[in-house]
Amino acid sequence: MPRWFLTPILALCATLASAQDGKLLYEQNCAACHLPDQMVVGPSLVEITKLYEKKPKEFVAWAVKPQKKRNGVIEMPSMAHLGEANLLAVHEYMLTASKGLKEKPAVTKDPLARPARRPEIQRMFLPNVGPAAIAVALPGDLNYCFDAGDCRLRTVWRGNFLDCWAYYKSNGKAVATLLGQSLWQLPPDESLQKRVKFLGYSVDTTGLPTFEYERDGGQFREKIVAEGKTLVRRFEVTTAKPITFTLDDATTSSAGIVRNNTLTLTPSEAKSFTLTLRLP
Amino acid sequence: MITPLLFLAATLAAPKPTTVAKPSVDGWDKAFEIAKVEVPAGIDDQVGGLAFLEDGRLAVAFHRGEVFIRQTNGSWKQFAEGLHEPLGLLTDGKGSVLVMQRPELTRLVDTDGDGKADRYQTVYDGFGMTGNYHEFAFGPARGPDGALYIGLNLASSGAGIFKEIRGTWSEIGKATRENLAAGKTGAAGRMYGRVPYRGCIMRIADNGRGPAELYATGFRSPDGIGFDAKGRLLVNDNQGDWRGSSPLQIVTKGSFNGHPASLVWAPGWNKGDPLQLPVPELEKLRTQPGGIFIQSDLSNSPTQPAVFPATWGALAGQVVFGEMNAARLVRFVGEDIRGVHQGAMIPFLDTKTLRNGNHRLAFAPDGALHVGKTHLSWAGNNGIVRIPAPQVLPPLIESVHLTATGFEVRFTAAIDKASLAPALRSFRYKYHSTYGSPKVDELPLESAWSLSADGKLLTLPLKDIREGFVHEIKVAGAKSTDGRELLGPVAYYQVVKR
């Protein structure tokens, strides 16, 4: 039941008495989201007229308490503060304003779509990783995600980088699509967050990033490059204690000792080493 | 559903709506020149951040993560790219710019002097993220203390959260993490902040090089954050739950600014789920807004504050805010009354020519106001407009001052007494979890007003000045003695203390 149902009748009469011009009310309160002949934030007046031409009561009820109806649109804010009489005036205006107009098609594809510049770095919401993700397109056809939340390489895929249109056209209520074929992925491990601190990245003259972070007190620099069907992760670590990595079957190290999938490097080995990830 | 009685009343009272005086378009357009600024080609020109660098060049952060700098010859050069929804940009000395993006506050540094940032240094990312779209991050603003201040949005029940999040989950709250990750947001509250510091203002000392601390709680969507000419931290918020109409908060350390969700992050919080606290208790805790952006009449989504420079004459030192929803800006003229900063909101550049989506504001070295626009799929627009400081100000309400006996309204030009017909009333908004609020407890006000001999000072003696109420002062139809229309002929003064 709408809120104003409970409002004292007196207050309501005050609103009713000041019913204003429908056009002005539309311009002030609705036009930002409703255009006459095209869906922008909300449906067009053409569509609204189709739905509510003979239904002023239902129109007012919607405006007072809008519902979630369409996919991929924001929630319409309640217009209860305008009062019933004003909303009826808007209803009347909306019908006139859409007369004789035809619906124009809405934009459905990214008008700025382009192939990835390689290398290219884009921070974005990505699937199956944490929310502070960084996507990188490498020269060639490989792409990866470095997660700034746990400071790990998380995803590798081959193909045309990203489609971010679902995100860009809205306000972030969407995750980008990885284009191409997924090759490798690490599951989440939120416990790592307490052991790391992301410091940022530098970009070399070719555009490749080197990530900088702290892990277990050590200072890490990590640069990831593509070499044929492998990703080579070049590390430079300054640490007082030995460092460890959990290795998966596809990864080999240029230094250190591996026992039960745990790679251990002494501080001097950690100064410069690589992890090589074989990809299908 | 509409009850028969109400529907009947509606048909009786308003078969043909009466017309109201329309705001004049021509007046503003005659007095101010609003021109488009060319933006870089081939980009989505929704503006997240905009500032003039120390050398006078304009730097702009755009929706898809680029930062461009306009060179002295007018061409644009890309400075950075790949950022995640930058929503604020601040100068930082030669070759360096600070940008607030969704996941972190970042310092972009051009170390080799080629005009492109080559270091993206994380200044502060110690706040949580759930992946909820509404967790925008705003700022930074630099305080007189040299610290940086940022604002962190709450999540919206319009969507759930990611399976994997950043930051430690707070167990305080009805909705479970599992349900939210499955998109079931029913129990969450309209807006929720279950990872650290959502809904808070954070302070990072020493221009971002020092430690970060929680500075204030109580926000929902603090898009506009900045300092006034006297170094007060001004932060506005968007109408919604616990926000009857968008407030302007004058933020002090440790203050709670009204939206309860973030109280879980207040140091030493021990009262459980703040959304379950009785309203009177929250009312006692909260700092009252020093000004209110009147929904519909002034602003539905206020944005960045900027301080008028000396080139704007009588307005110098006053604050101007952007507004997303309407083709309008809003001025705030504040004053200290018994230790509380409060004041009047006044419409500015209220003309269709401006268009809506007014998001980021900055004054150029020559005084021209630049407004960057965005929409993010809500009501809004895109691009940048430029409004030079006028040679002479048109007739405007210059200031409103609360006295022991009423109000004094000062004009920028002599007003013709015959054109004055002040209409006054006071009202307030409800403080409650419901989205928005009607104007309530409305009281029409009578005043035996007088105009000074020079026509510039309107004195409004009033018997009923109420604390906690907006006092609307309307002088529609007023004209200067030389026949020009008074532009923006209304002021809304929020009396916190009288």
Side-chain angles (χ1 to χ4, degrees), chain A residues 112-191:
Chain A
L112 297 174
R114 57 165 174 80
R117 287 186 283 265
R118 292 180 177 276
E120 177 169 348
I121 306 166
Q122 182 66 53
R123 303 194 69 156
M124 181 42 56
F125 282 158
L126 300 178
N128 306 317
V129 292
I134 305 174
V136 179
L138 290 169
D141 58 2
L142 291 176
N143 316 282
Y144 69 82
C145 161
F146 183 89
D147 192 324
D150 60 11
C151 297
R152 287 191 300 170
L153 175 70
R154 290 293 301 275
T155 322
V156 182
W157 70 102
R158 179 178 283 127
N160 284 336
F161 201 36
L162 296 177
D163 178 358
C164 305
W165 175 235
Y167 180 104
Y168 287 148
K169 75 173 180 195
S170 72
N171 43 32
K173 219 186 260 172
V175 171
T177 306
L178 310 185
L179 298 176
Q181 178 198 2
S182 172
L183 301 177
W184 183 86
Q185 196 170 312
L186 277 188
D189 180 357
E190 286 177 17
S191 71

Side-chain angles (χ1 to χ4, degrees), chain B residues 305-321:
Chain B
V307 177
F308 283 105
T311 37
W312 286 74
L315 306 188
Q318 295 184 3
V319 179
V320 57
F321 289 91

Side-chain angles (χ1 to χ4, degrees), chain B residues 175-465:
Chain B
T176 63
R177 183 172 164 186
E178 291 64 36
N179 276 347
L180 285 169
K184 292 181 208 145
T185 62
R190 179 145 194 139
M191 294 282 158
Y192 54 99
R194 303 285 294 272
V195 290
Y197 318 133
R198 302 305 330 183
C200 301
I201 304 298
M202 306 300 292
R203 173 185 185 270
I204 309 123
D206 193 13
N207 202 30
R209 292 186 171 87
E213 61 170 337
L214 189 157
Y215 190 72
T217 57
F219 288 92
R220 180 182 179 280
S221 186
D223 181 277
I225 172 166
F227 285 84
D228 73 4
K230 289 272 167 62
R232 294 181 198 90
L233 177 56
L234 308 184
V235 185
N236 58 33
D237 207 341
N238 201 107
Q239 187 233 26
D241 47 331
W242 302 99
R243 300 305 202 193
S245 195
S246 305
L248 170 62
Q249 299 291 136
I250 320 297
V251 179
T252 53
K253 185 168 171 170
S255 58
F256 162 60
N257 292 276
H259 194 295
S262 56
L263 278 172
V264 291
W265 307 115
W269 181 254
N270 60 4
K271 294 187 176 146
D273 184 355
L275 293 175
Q276 307 307 321
L277 285 185
V279 175
E281 194 164 332
L282 291 166
E283 184 70 86
K284 255 187 271 160
L285 290 174
R286 81 164 167 149
T287 300
Q288 298 289 329
I292 294 187
F293 299 86
I294 309 300
Q295 181 78 8
S296 295
D297 303 334
L298 272 185
S299 168
N300 295 9
S301 294
T303 62
Q304 190 173 7
V307 177
F308 283 105
T311 37
W312 286 74
L315 306 188
Q318 295 184 3
V319 179
V320 57
F321 289 91
E323 144 69 349
M324 289 296 299
N325 223 69
R328 180 188 300 128
L329 305 179
V330 180
R331 282 165 51 217
F332 173 68
V333 189
E335 60 181 347
D336 288 335
I337 301 284
R338 293 202 290 125
V340 172
H341 198 65
Q342 62 186 45
M345 295 284 184
I346 304 167
F348 189 62
L349 288 173
D350 194 352
T351 164
K352 275 187 190 160
T353 320
L354 179 68
R355 303 186 306 149
N356 62 354
N358 305 299
H359 188 221
R360 292 296 176 241
L361 279 64
F363 287 94
D366 70 357
L369 172 60
H370 286 64
V371 182
K373 289 154 181 284
T374 195
H375 58 78
L376 300 182
S377 83
W378 282 286
N381 231 303
N382 52 310
I384 303 170
V385 297
R386 174 178 185 273
I387 303 115
Q391 295 291 326
V392 270
L393 286 172
L396 297 170
I397 294 177
E398 181 179 314
S399 62
V400 181
H401 174 47
L402 177 66
T403 66
T405 51
F407 288 102
E408 283 176 3
V409 180
R410 183 167 289 284
F411 303 108
T412 57
I415 297 298
D416 174 9
K417 190 168 180 191
S419 70
L420 266 183
L424 310 171
R425 62 171 174 159
S426 61
F427 58 85
R428 63 176 164 182
Y429 293 101
K430 288 184 186 169
Y431 177 55
H432 58 187
S433 64
T434 311
Y435 196 98
S437 161
K439 294 172 178 139
V440 296
D441 303 328
E442 199 178 314
L443 186 71
L445 300 172
E446 296 288 337
S447 172
W449 58 273
S450 62
L451 186 66
S452 63
D454 70 354
K456 287 189 165 178
L457 189 69
L458 169 65
T459 305
L460 297 157
L462 279 180
K463 274 206 296 286
D464 286 304
I465 293 174

Side-chain angles (χ1 to χ4, degrees), chain A residues 1-5 9 12-14 16-24 27-29 32-33 40-41 56-58 60-61 68 74-75 77-78 81-82 84-85 88-89 92 110-113 117 119-126 128-133 147-150 152 154 165 167-175 187-190 193-194 197-205 212 221, chain B residues 1-3 5-11 13-23 42-44 46 63-65 78 81-85 101-104 106 112 117-123 125 129-134 136 156-159 162-168 177 185 190 239 295-297 300 324-326 328 352 356 375-380 430 432 434-435 437-439 442:
Chain A
M1 188 173 292
R3 279 251 129 200
W4 50 257
F5 177 73
I9 300 286
L12 239 150
C13 286
L16 294 178
S18 69
Q20 297 168 13
D21 180 46
K23 177 168 191 279
L24 183 64
E27 281 169 359
Q28 285 177 340
N29 298 288
C33 300
V40 277
V41 182
K57 278 197 222 177
E58 289 83 349
V60 172
K68 270 192 226 174
I74 64 161
E75 273 174 71
S78 166
H81 61 278
L82 292 183
E84 186 176 347
L88 287 170
E92 196 175 305
D110 186 355
L112 297 174
R117 287 186 283 265
E120 177 169 348
I121 306 166
Q122 182 66 53
R123 303 194 69 156
M124 181 42 56
F125 282 158
L126 300 178
N128 306 317
V129 292
D147 192 324
D150 60 11
R152 287 191 300 170
R154 290 293 301 275
W165 175 235
Y167 180 104
Y168 287 148
K169 75 173 180 195
S170 72
N171 43 32
K173 219 186 260 172
V175 171
D189 180 357
E190 286 177 17
Q193 292 179 18
K194 293 224 162 60
K197 182 172 163 54
F198 184 62
L199 302 174
Y201 52 92
S202 55
V203 183
D204 70 15
T205 47
E212 294 170 23
R221 289 170 55 82
Chain B
M1 203 182 295
I2 295 164
T3 63
L5 172 65
L6 293 183
F7 191 66
L8 184 72
T11 14
K16 261 269 117 40
T18 53
T19 320
V20 293
K22 297 190 186 185
I43 64 157
D44 183 334
Q46 294 182 71
H63 174 51
R64 296 196 183 192
Q78 188 162 335
E81 64 183 356
L83 305 174
H84 193 171
E85 201 71 77
Q101 47 175 333
R102 253 186 204 281
E104 63 177 52
T106 309
D112 59 8
D118 43 56
R119 288 183 64 80
Y120 291 59
Q121 295 172 335
T122 306
V123 172
D125 70 350
M129 294 173 84
T130 65
N132 181 282
Y133 75 101
H134 202 268
F136 300 108
S156 163
S157 59
F162 285 11
K163 288 212 168 57
E164 187 176 348
I165 63 171
R166 185 178 79 183
T168 308
R177 183 172 164 186
T185 62
R190 179 145 194 139
Q239 187 233 26
Q295 181 78 8
S296 295
D297 303 334
N300 295 9
M324 289 296 299
N325 223 69
R328 180 188 300 128
K352 275 187 190 160
N356 62 354
H375 58 78
L376 300 182
S377 83
W378 282 286
K430 288 184 186 169
H432 58 187
T434 311
Y435 196 98
S437 161
K439 294 172 178 139
E442 199 178 314

